[in-house]
Structure formats: C-alpha cells, structure tokens
C-alpha cells in the first residue's frame, strides 16, 4: 500500500497507454480520432481521481484514503503517509507541551510567558494566585494592564532587567513579591515572581534583634568597664590580679567596639535611602583620616595620602567616613611594621576612586568573596589578636551600596592587597569655573 511510485514507472504506463491507443487507431483506420478520444478519456479519469482526492481532504472524515487507481494510488498513499507522520509529530509535541506545563505548574514561583509586546501567552496556577491573573480570560492582555503598579510600569518601560523588582501583591500589601523578567528566544519574555514576605520578615527580625541586643549590651558593658577601671586603679602593682584585670579590660573594650559597630551597621541597614544632595568635602575627610591613621599606626608604618583637588561628592559623610576608615584601619592592622600603606582619592573618567593599598600578607582567593560577610575572618586567632570584630567590611559594603558603589578587592599572597570603590559621576560635584 505504501510502495513509492517512481517517475520511470509513471512514464512507462503513459507510453504503454498511448501505444495501445495508437495501435487501435491504426487497426480501425482513425489514428487521430482514437488518440484524441483516448486523451479526453484520460483527462476525465484524472479529473475524477482529483475530485475523489478533494472530497477526501475536505469533506470525508475518514482517515484512510479512498482506493486509488493507477498513478493516483501513489498520491493517495503518499498523502496518507504524510498525515500519519504529522499526527505522530503533533502527538509528540502535545506530549512535550503537556510535560512542559506540568513542570511549570510544579515550579515554586509564579511563571508568566510574554510575547514581544508584553502580552500574556501563558501562565501557571501560582501566577493566578500571586499576581491575580485569570486564565484563560487574560490571555493576550498586556501584563501592565493587569499589574497596575507604578513601579512595575516603570520597570517594564525601562527595558533593563538585570535587577529584580520588589512590589506588593495584588491581594495584600503585606505580601511582598520579587519580580524578574528574562528574555529568551526571539521577542519572548518570561516573568518570574516569588513570594519573599517571609524572607523580608526574617531580615527585619534579625536587624531588630541585633539592634536591640546591641543597644541593651551598652549599659552593662559601661558598668563593667567602670568597675574594671576602678579595680585596676585600686590593684597593687605586684598583685597577681593585675594581669587578669588587664585582660578583662581588653576584652571589655573589644566587646564595646563590637557593639558600637553592630549599632552602626544596624543604623546603615535601616536607612534604605539617604540624602544624596549633601556635599561631602573629601579633602577635609582625607585630612581627618590621615590623623586617625597616624594615631592608629603609632609610627610603625609608612603612610602616604593623595587627594585630588576640588573632587567632592554628594552623599552621607558619616557613612563614607566609616567605610574609608574601616579600609584604612584594616590595612594598618594587617600590615607588618615598616610596611607601606597608600591611600588615594582620584578623579577618573567614570567618576572618582578611593583606594587603600598595603604591603601586608595578602588574602587567598577563596576568602575574597566572603570578606564582606558579618564576622567572617580569614584567620580567627590572628584577628582576635589584632582586635578585629569582623564587621568593618560589612559596614563598608552597606555604606557603599547607598552611594551606588561596591567594594572591589584585589590581593596576592605575600605581596599585599588593594581595597577600592568607585563613586559614579552622577554623585561627583562638578564645579563651574
């Protein structure tokens, strides 16, 4: 039934038919008429087969084709074979689409497929719950016509989706959603939304806990420090308790410093937005940082400071000073005596760069990515000996995030490290001469 028909076989059949008609015409003495009539009969037969094919393709509901005759048998069987292939392919595609939808429904996030015009092509059930979509009634609707939130409309018009967007849910303002848009294929977008309410609540609880505990610790630490100072003044010079009191005093100072830094970190984290219209005089700040560095170094290091003239910026002076001071104090603390420390504030094409370069021991590559984590230490014993708290770089990270910047770290073991950050041109004061 499915044997293919070659062109040679079809031509040989046609020639055989014409030869028989020609011989019949010679036999009755009317070759032209016999050939003409046989051609009309052949055309009528082909028209009949074509009508049967047309009826089967458009009106007949049967899948099997009619019984073809002659050369039309191959045509009917070939179409039937192509239909079988297409049905098999459609079945496979339907199976894959079903599997895709099942997988998308199993996602823990809301998923919405958008076309090039941000019209909804498909969404899963979680998108209906979190975003308030109604499927399939919302099919073909623009996503910003359904998610009527000013921040989302601005996010969609901006066209750059490198960072996620946080917005309130359509059902409850207490529920916070994180929305991401990713492009794929040609003019296709995938919108992913997840509920981060619990995460934000935990972050808020952690911040409140740290801030409250740090604040509550200040009073008992002050009392302890006062009594320790009094005991230290009353102790005899040769008393065996002198060393113990000194150690307790050192640990109390260290704990007080940690509490103060925790309070600073909590304050910076709580201030999501800062006033970026206040001018910060970097020349004056560099002078203050130079005096602090000299006092901390006590003449054991070679310090050099460079500051470009008239290169001021807009931001929060306390946060910037805290960030710069932490970088400088870390360089002094972890650089051996007679080591060099270079601090600079320079103009660049992209803005202005603050950098601290030291000739210390350097940091291994596997530690660099975690240096800004709270209480993370490369060498715990050495850090405690130097009096570090593990919070300085975390404070620096959050302070810089308020100024559209981030901390950059380059280091090589045995040669030293460079800590720097770039303040963009948007926050640099440009004076008109």
């Amino acid at each position: 039934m499915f044997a293919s028909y070659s062109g040679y076989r079809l031509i040989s059949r046609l020639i055989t038919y014409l030869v028989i008609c020609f011989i019949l015409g010679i036999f009755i003495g009317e070759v032209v008429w016999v050939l003409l009539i046989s051609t009309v009969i052949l055309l009528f037969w082909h028209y009949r087969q074509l009508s049967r094919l047309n009826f089967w393709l458009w009106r007949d509901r049967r899948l099997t084709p009619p019984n073809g005759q002659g050369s039309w048998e191959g045509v009917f069987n070939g179409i039937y074979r192509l239909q079988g292939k297409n049905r098999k392919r459609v079945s496979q595609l339907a199976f894959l689409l079903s599997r895709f939808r099942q997988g998308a429904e199993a996602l823990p996030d809301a998923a919405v497929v958008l076309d090039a015009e941000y019209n909804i092509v498909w969404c899963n059930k979680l998108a209906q719950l979190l975003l308030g979509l109604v499927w399939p009634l919302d099919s073909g609707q623009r996503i910003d016509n359904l998610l009527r939130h000013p921040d989302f409309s601005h996010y969609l018009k901006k066209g750059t989706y490198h960072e996620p967007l946080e917005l309130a849910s359509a059902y409850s303002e207490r529920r916070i959603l994180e929305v991401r848009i990713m492009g794929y294929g040609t003019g296709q977008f995938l919108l992913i939304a997840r509920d981060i309410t619990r995460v934000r609540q935990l972050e808020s609880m952690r911040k409140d806990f740290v801030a409250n505990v740090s604040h509550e610790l200040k009073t008992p630490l002050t009392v302890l420090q006062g009594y320790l100072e009094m005991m230290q003044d009353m102790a005899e010079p040769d008393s065996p308790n002198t060393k113990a009191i000194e150690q307790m005093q050192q640990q109390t100072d260290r704990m007080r410093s940690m509490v103060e830094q925790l309070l600073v970190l909590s304050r910076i984290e709580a201030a999501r937005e800062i006033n970026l219209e206040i001018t910060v005089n970097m020349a004056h700040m560099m002078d203050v940082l130079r005096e602090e560095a000299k006092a901390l170094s006590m003449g054991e290091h070679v310090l050099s400071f460079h500051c470009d003239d008239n290169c001021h910026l807009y931001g929060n002076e306390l946060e910037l000073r805290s960030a710069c001071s932490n970088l400088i104090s870390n360089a002094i603390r972890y650089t051996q005596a007679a080591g060099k420390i270079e601090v600079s504030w320079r103009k660049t094409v992209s803005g202005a760069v603050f950098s601290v370069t030291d000739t210390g021991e350097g940091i291994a590559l596997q530690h660099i990515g975690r240096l800004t984590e709270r209480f993370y230490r490369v060498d715990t014993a050495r850090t405690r000996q130097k009096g570090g708290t593990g919070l300085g770089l975390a404070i620096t990270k959050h302070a810089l995030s308020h100024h559209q910047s981030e901390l950059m770290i380059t280091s090589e073991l045995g040669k030293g490290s460079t800590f720097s950050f770039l303040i963009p041109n948007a926050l640099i004061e440009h004076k008109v001469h």
Side-chain angles (χ1 to χ4, degrees):
M1 180 178 178
F2 296 108
S4 61
Y5 277 69
S6 65
Y8 174 77
R9 185 177 179 183
L10 295 176
I11 293 176
S12 63
R13 280 191 174 191
L14 178 61
I15 293 175
T16 302
Y17 174 77
L18 293 176
V19 168
I20 293 175
C21 294
F22 181 76
I23 293 174
L24 180 61
I26 294 176
F27 181 74
I28 63 176
E30 295 290 342
V31 176
V32 176
W33 282 102
V34 171
L35 289 176
L36 180 60
I37 294 172
S38 61
T39 303
V40 172
I41 294 173
L42 181 62
L43 289 175
F44 177 79
W45 180 80
H46 278 292
Y47 178 77
R48 172 60 181 166
Q49 300 300 323
L50 186 60
S51 299
R52 294 175 66 198
L53 175 62
N54 184 68
F55 178 80
W56 175 57
L57 291 176
W58 294 99
R59 299 182 182 180
D60 198 351
R61 295 182 179 180
R62 295 178 299 173
L63 295 177
T64 57
N67 294 325
Q69 299 174 0
S71 59
W72 283 93
E73 182 180 2
V75 176
F76 289 157
N77 294 338
I79 295 176
Y80 179 71
R81 187 179 182 184
L82 288 176
Q83 285 182 334
K85 288 183 177 179
N86 288 335
R87 284 193 295 271
K88 185 177 180 181
R89 189 173 300 169
V90 169
S91 178
Q92 292 175 346
L93 291 176
F95 176 74
L96 291 176
L97 181 60
S98 176
R99 294 290 298 272
F100 163 75
R101 288 186 174 179
Q102 290 176 2
E105 293 292 354
L107 287 174
D109 304 324
V112 183
V113 179
L114 307 173
D115 61 15
E117 301 297 327
Y118 302 108
N119 298 318
I120 299 175
V121 178
W122 179 85
C123 68
N124 62 359
K125 292 181 180 178
L126 199 55
Q128 302 174 48
L129 295 175
L130 293 181
L131 303 177
L133 304 180
V134 180
W135 185 259
L137 294 179
D138 291 337
S139 177
Q141 296 287 331
R142 274 185 63 97
I143 187 66
D144 52 347
N145 289 337
L146 302 175
L147 297 181
R148 295 182 175 276
H149 197 287
D151 292 340
F152 181 75
S153 299
H154 178 71
Y155 181 70
L156 205 63
K157 291 178 182 178
K158 189 171 61 173
T160 54
Y161 312 119
H162 304 296
E163 297 294 331
L165 171 69
E166 293 186 10
L167 70 159
S169 172
Y171 289 113
S172 175
E173 293 185 355
R174 295 182 179 180
R175 177 175 288 183
I176 303 174
L177 303 179
E178 182 185 77
V179 178
R180 289 180 178 269
I181 296 180
M182 295 160 285
Y184 72 97
T186 304
Q188 298 287 327
F189 296 95
L190 179 63
L191 184 148
I192 298 293
R194 65 179 56 181
D195 189 348
I196 59 171
T197 307
R198 183 62 177 169
V199 176
R200 291 294 177 262
Q201 288 177 347
L202 291 175
E203 287 184 359
S204 178
M205 291 171 60
R206 175 185 60 80
K207 293 176 183 178
D208 293 341
F209 173 78
V210 171
N212 294 334
V213 170
S214 302
H215 182 75
E216 293 298 326
L217 284 175
K218 287 190 68 176
T219 301
L221 280 176
T222 303
V223 174
L224 284 174
Q225 193 170 23
Y227 278 112
L228 286 173
E229 290 177 356
M230 186 172 60
M231 292 171 63
Q232 196 171 18
D233 293 337
M234 295 173 59
E236 297 293 333
D238 298 331
S239 174
N241 297 327
T242 303
K243 184 176 181 181
I245 294 174
E246 290 178 354
Q247 290 180 349
M248 286 190 290
Q249 183 70 34
Q250 292 175 359
Q251 294 303 316
T252 305
D253 292 338
R254 180 171 172 270
M255 188 174 294
R256 181 175 53 82
S257 175
M258 185 181 298
V259 168
E260 290 176 354
Q261 288 198 326
L262 279 172
L263 289 173
V264 171
L265 183 57
S266 299
R267 185 178 68 250
I268 293 176
E269 285 184 333
R272 293 193 174 184
E273 295 183 0
I274 62 173
N275 189 354
L276 296 178
E277 297 180 356
I278 300 177
T279 302
V280 178
N281 189 327
M282 286 301 296
H284 174 70
M285 183 183 292
M286 289 291 283
D287 291 338
V288 174
L289 293 174
R290 182 187 295 108
E291 296 303 319
E292 291 180 353
K294 289 180 179 179
L296 184 61
S297 174
M298 295 185 295
E300 295 183 355
H301 305 86
V302 180
L303 303 176
S304 63
F305 282 72
H306 173 82
C307 179
D308 285 351
D309 297 331
N310 298 323
C311 184
H312 307 316
L313 57 88
Y314 299 103
N316 186 290
E317 184 173 358
L318 291 178
E319 291 190 6
L320 288 171
R321 179 178 171 182
S322 178
C324 297
S325 178
N326 284 327
L327 297 181
I328 296 173
S329 62
N330 280 348
I332 295 174
R333 187 177 292 113
Y334 298 109
T335 300
Q336 64 278 9
K340 296 182 180 179
I341 297 172
E342 299 180 0
V343 182
S344 67
W345 170 254
R346 301 177 185 273
K347 294 180 181 179
T348 64
V349 177
S350 304
V353 176
F354 179 87
S355 66
V356 180
T357 303
D358 61 61
T359 58
E361 297 180 359
I363 306 167
L365 183 62
Q366 65 268 23
H367 297 294
I368 291 180
R370 301 189 59 188
L371 287 179
T372 55
E373 296 180 9
R374 300 181 183 212
F375 303 109
Y376 183 81
R377 298 181 177 93
V378 177
D379 188 343
T380 305
R382 186 169 179 268
T383 303
R384 288 178 178 174
Q385 183 182 1
K386 295 290 184 177
T389 62
L391 293 171
L393 294 183
I395 294 174
T396 301
K397 174 185 175 181
H398 285 85
L400 294 180
S401 67
H402 290 167
H403 295 81
Q404 304 173 16
S405 183
E406 60 182 15
L407 184 62
M408 296 175 287
I409 306 172
T410 57
S411 183
E412 187 175 352
L413 283 175
K415 294 187 178 180
S417 308
T418 297
F419 291 77
S420 61
F421 59 85
L422 170 69
I423 299 297
N425 275 320
L427 297 182
I428 301 299
E429 183 184 54
H430 300 281
K431 292 188 177 182
V432 180
H433 298 282

